[in-house]
Amino acid sequence: MQQLFRQLPSVDKLLKQPQAVDFIQQFGHQAVVEQLRKLVERARQHIQQHQVLPDFLADETALFAELSLQLTQLQQVQLRPVFNLTGTVLHTNLGRGLWSEAAMQAATCAMQNNVALEFDIDEGRRSHRDLYISELVAKITGAEAACVVNNNAAAVLLMLATFAKDKEVIVSRGELVEIGGAFRIPDIMLQAGCKLVEVGTTNRTHLKDYRNAINENTAFLMKVHTSNYHIEGFTSSVLEEELVALGKEFGLPVISDLGSGSLTDMASLGLPAEPMVQQKVAAGVDLVSFSGDKLLGGPQAGIIVGKKVWIDELQAHPLKRVLRCDKVILSALEATLRQYLLPEKLSETLPTLNLLTQSVDLLKIRAEELKEVLGKRLNSRYILQVEPSLAQIGSGALPTEKLPSVAVTIESEKQSDLLALEQRFKQLPTPIIGRFADKKFWLDLRSVAQFEPLIEMLSFNTPLFSKEGQGEIWKK
């Protein structure tokens, strides 16, 4: 073993080699030295465990090839793209919706240039960074003004902290939601310094329940859209219009956490109906909050719309600066919202709505193509079929509603074969993420946005793995 250790190269000697000099020019001296030392240490550990030199020390070519790989990986972003074939279009764990071309162009422009973020060009003086969004949202929703923060949870926190600190907020017991990441309405109220007053029961709440809970310390009447669950059967809830009338009677504002925040009539697109922001504004709700990266189809943001007098107070609160968005997000959000000025084109311009409105016939064609390509790559122990599937919108929108879809299903006699295949899909240059159901692995076509690149990656001429991995699952 000592003889093997003596064969380990000297870092100083390697640094004088022409390949190392080139790498130093490209990556810098510090990075090259650090990676060479790590390679030598890896080799030392390999010798201790296996009593042989590692493959990358077979010759200098192999060594510098490994060094090149390690140096390149230093600059590779680990937040990798994936192909979403789960059937959940707005998959929170996979980054929710995709940006439109207009949003990407606007964001890129903001990245590369100074922009009039807080500057009124016409007046030549300081302005507010939400100004353009506010004017645009007002035009789309009918609200007087808008405030933008980094997500809808932040929007709810800002509203409560601004108007309800040390006061009470009345909410129906059936609307005390919890969403992904342990976001709970009661916890947000605690952080905002206000007291939650629950009224009604889980399944039934009446207007008199709100009325009986009002006192001199009440700050808000609050509605929360139960976007990620649905109660059926013997139920009753209070409409916003009724709460607004009650609020006016007692001089209390009404706020609504709408969650997904649709700005278009989903039913007109052939999709299940979802409450619209415009409807809540028209009902007289004082403040409505919603997300930017769900049904709206834009970047992550929390948008609050409503009466200007209330919005102005939100803008002046110290938390607003903590929760505000940068120029890139605001540019992308504005570009997304401008698509709503051409409502008949939304399913073409917004990727989220495009995916949701794809025809089943198109999905069948794509599924057959995917099946054919996979059939050329997978070995004979995998059985492929094209089957009807049920997709979903995701991110808490319409949780009980399913969308007709089509999937390629993969079966095998052994569950271990499917688990191995799932792991190999995750090891692809761009990982494929599907779902398990009914002892099959499902690749649902409703949620995949980049279909042609998916087919190209799986094409027979594309190398998928190193040689040692091919024989187990893939045809040689």
Side-chain angles (χ1 to χ4, degrees):
M1 189 180 295
Q2 291 302 318
Q3 178 66 26
L4 293 174
F5 284 132
R6 282 193 287 270
Q7 295 181 48
L8 293 177
S10 160
V11 171
D12 289 338
K13 183 178 178 181
L14 289 172
L15 288 172
K16 297 175 183 178
Q17 299 300 315
Q19 300 99 315
V21 173
D22 290 341
F23 286 144
I24 291 172
Q25 291 249 330
Q26 184 177 356
F27 298 100
H29 184 270
Q30 180 178 331
V32 174
V33 171
E34 183 178 327
Q35 293 307 311
L36 279 173
R37 287 174 177 168
K38 287 183 177 180
L39 286 177
V40 172
E41 180 58 29
R42 273 177 55 193
R44 186 173 286 110
Q45 292 175 2
H46 188 89
I47 292 171
Q48 289 175 338
Q49 294 173 8
H50 305 286
Q51 289 76 53
V52 294
L53 290 171
D55 291 342
F56 64 80
L57 285 186
D59 52 46
E60 278 196 359
T61 300
L63 172 61
F64 283 107
E66 183 67 17
L67 177 60
S68 176
L69 177 64
Q70 297 304 314
L71 289 168
T72 302
Q73 287 180 345
L74 285 177
Q75 296 184 307
Q76 287 182 342
V77 176
Q78 294 302 299
L79 198 62
R80 298 171 60 192
V82 301
F83 290 114
N84 176 13
L85 286 103
T86 63
T88 301
V89 175
L90 295 174
H91 199 302
T92 298
N93 303 133
L94 301 181
R96 293 185 178 162
L98 306 180
W99 292 12
S100 68
E101 287 291 335
M104 287 188 286
Q105 291 175 11
T108 301
C109 180
M111 292 177 200
Q112 297 175 333
N113 297 280
N114 291 116
V115 297
L117 179 63
E118 295 181 356
F119 184 75
D120 188 320
I121 296 175
D122 293 333
E123 298 292 332
R125 57 183 175 83
R126 183 169 183 170
S127 180
H128 197 282
R129 66 173 56 202
D130 292 352
L131 177 63
Y132 301 116
I133 300 290
S134 185
E135 293 175 349
L136 189 53
V137 170
K139 185 173 184 178
I140 296 169
T141 67
E144 293 179 7
C147 172
V148 183
V149 289
N150 57 26
N151 62 21
N152 189 51
V156 175
L157 176 64
L158 180 60
M159 290 189 295
L160 294 173
T162 303
F163 301 112
K165 184 174 174 56
D166 299 325
K167 294 186 177 181
E168 298 179 357
V169 178
I170 303 174
V171 185
S172 168
R173 186 169 280 108
E175 297 174 4
L176 297 178
V177 303
E178 176 181 328
I179 62 173
F183 168 85
R184 292 180 172 185
I185 289 294
D187 294 341
I188 294 297
M189 289 193 178
L190 183 64
Q191 292 298 318
C194 56
K195 180 182 178 181
L196 165 67
V197 177
E198 303 176 29
V199 296
T201 63
T202 302
N203 60 317
R204 291 178 69 81
T205 302
H206 306 283
L207 188 63
K208 65 181 180 181
D209 295 320
Y210 289 92
R211 179 185 292 275
N212 293 339
I214 293 173
N215 61 43
E216 67 280 356
N217 201 37
T218 301
F220 274 139
L221 304 178
M222 185 175 183
K223 285 285 289 182
V224 181
H225 178 46
T226 55
S227 58
N228 61 353
Y229 67 94
H230 182 64
I231 301 175
E232 294 183 341
F234 188 57
T235 64
S236 176
S237 61
V238 179
L239 298 175
E240 275 84 351
E241 291 88 343
E242 298 176 279
L243 272 189
V244 168
L246 181 64
K248 288 181 178 178
E249 181 180 339
F250 286 87
L252 294 173
V254 176
I255 67 173
S256 177
D257 171 9
L258 201 51
S260 291
S262 176
L263 291 180
T264 190
D265 182 3
M266 303 295 283
S268 69
L269 299 174
L271 298 168
E274 175 81 354
M276 295 174 60
V277 176
Q278 293 92 323
Q279 294 169 340
K280 306 308 176 186
V281 172
V285 177
D286 295 281
L287 292 173
V288 183
S289 72
F290 53 98
S291 298
D293 58 342
K294 295 182 181 178
L295 288 177
L296 192 146
Q300 178 180 300
I303 306 169
I304 307 169
V305 301
K307 307 277 194 313
K308 188 176 186 303
V309 62
W310 299 102
I311 296 294
D312 287 345
E313 288 196 51
L314 292 174
Q315 298 286 14
H317 194 281
L319 262 182
K320 171 61 199 306
R321 185 174 182 86
V322 176
L323 302 172
R324 69 186 183 180
C325 296
D326 73 344
K327 64 176 183 176
V328 175
I329 293 298
L330 289 173
S331 297
L333 180 59
E334 181 186 350
T336 302
L337 289 167
R338 289 198 177 278
Q339 306 305 307
Y340 284 86
L341 301 178
L342 305 173
E344 295 176 353
K345 296 292 184 179
L346 284 175
S347 60
E348 299 174 24
T349 57
L350 297 183
T352 294
L353 295 183
N354 181 266
L355 291 174
L356 293 174
T357 57
Q358 293 175 104
S359 71
V360 172
D361 288 340
L362 173 61
L363 298 181
K364 286 179 181 177
I365 293 171
R366 290 183 168 180
E368 291 290 351
E369 187 175 353
L370 178 58
K371 177 190 172 187
E372 181 180 357
V373 171
L374 282 173
K376 295 177 180 178
R377 303 307 312 260
L378 295 177
N379 68 36
S380 59
R381 68 175 181 267
Y382 293 102
I383 302 169
L384 282 74
Q385 291 181 297
V386 172
E387 297 189 47
S389 178
L390 291 175
Q392 59 182 357
I393 294 175
S395 290
L398 299 166
T400 62
E401 300 287 349
K402 301 296 183 181
L403 304 177
S405 187
V406 182
V408 174
T409 63
I410 307 174
E411 294 182 80
S412 182
E413 290 184 3
K414 297 180 180 179
Q415 183 71 8
S416 59
D417 287 343
L418 291 182
L419 293 173
L421 178 62
E422 181 199 25
Q423 287 303 311
R424 287 301 172 86
F425 276 151
K426 292 177 180 177
Q427 295 167 12
L428 288 166
T430 302
I432 294 174
I433 312 297
R435 72 175 190 267
F436 281 101
D438 302 325
K439 298 182 179 180
K440 302 176 185 178
F441 191 66
W442 294 66
L443 300 174
D444 194 306
L445 278 298
R446 170 70 68 185
S447 54
V448 62
Q450 305 293 339
F451 180 72
E452 293 304 328
L454 170 66
I455 295 299
E456 182 179 349
M457 183 184 71
L458 291 172
S459 66
F460 199 73
N461 294 324
T462 303
L464 298 178
F465 300 107
S466 59
K467 288 183 179 180
E468 60 268 22
Q470 287 191 8
E472 301 171 16
I473 289 175
W474 307 96
K475 293 178 181 177
K476 294 182 180 180

